[in-house]
Amino acid sequence: MIHHISIAAERPQHVAKVLAELWNGQVTPFPSHAGSYAVLACDASGTMIEVYPLGTELQPGADQQPVEFGQSVSAPLFNAFHAAISVPVEQEKIEQIGVREGWRVLRCNRGPFEVIEVWVENRWLLELLPSSLAAQYLTFMQPQNLEKYLADASA
């Protein structure tokens, strides 16, 4: 289980508020790094997304020191990060929020399951799974189904 992830955004507080809306969650300032926010799903797993200012870097600390925050002078427009996240809202609300924010939203067929791509700030990808789609994903990801899929794909 992934308990939390972190991302960077041009407007971290605004992005955190929108993500909280998609999750029916809460936003709080993230005390570890100024200008950052935590989006809390308020679930039993402690699920959270940390939203840092764009350009924030997580760097290994010196010697035995923990992670340190750095700042890049440039941030890539796109990156390889993405996450599939179940949300308690349905496709219509996701689309309404996407239109309001000017973010690309697209329902996509990944073969054995569907997701709703939400391009946060049109920069990074979240694959949202409302309850109507989450069951497909969870069924596909069961070990016996995944093993069969991988065996068929390599045959």
Side-chain angles (χ1 to χ4, degrees):
M1 165 170 294
I2 296 174
H3 293 284
H4 74 264
I5 60 174
S6 62
I7 55 103
E10 289 182 50
R11 300 170 54 201
Q13 184 178 29
H14 180 77
V15 166
K17 287 179 179 179
V18 174
L19 295 178
E21 184 180 357
L22 289 165
W23 248 350
N24 292 334
Q26 297 178 1
V27 174
T28 184
F30 189 66
S32 298
H33 186 58
S36 300
Y37 296 86
V39 182
L40 309 171
C42 301
D43 62 10
S45 299
T47 310
M48 176 176 68
I49 299 175
E50 299 165 10
V51 185
Y52 301 128
L54 193 62
T56 300
E57 296 178 336
L58 299 179
Q59 303 168 349
D63 298 319
Q64 296 300 309
Q65 296 299 313
V67 63
E68 296 178 354
F69 292 94
Q71 187 67 33
S72 172
V73 294
S74 65
L77 181 58
F78 303 108
N79 60 58
F81 170 84
H82 82 281
I85 299 175
S86 290
V87 293
V89 298
E90 290 302 322
Q91 181 173 343
E92 183 179 351
K93 183 164 185 179
I94 294 167
E95 290 171 343
Q96 289 170 350
I97 291 169
V99 167
R100 182 190 74 209
E101 298 301 320
W103 298 351
R104 177 181 165 92
V105 174
L106 181 69
R107 184 170 174 154
C108 296
N109 187 329
R110 298 287 193 251
F113 58 88
E114 294 178 272
V115 300
I116 300 173
E117 287 187 359
V118 175
W119 286 86
V120 178
E121 293 188 324
N122 296 311
R123 180 180 279 285
W124 53 268
L125 173 62
L126 284 182
E127 295 175 330
L128 298 186
L129 298 162
S131 60
S132 59
L133 300 180
Q136 293 174 349
Y137 177 83
L138 293 172
T139 298
F140 171 70
M141 291 303 288
Q142 294 303 305
Q144 68 278 9
N145 297 334
L146 190 54
E147 288 172 12
K148 181 179 180 333
Y149 176 81
L150 294 173
D152 291 347
S154 63

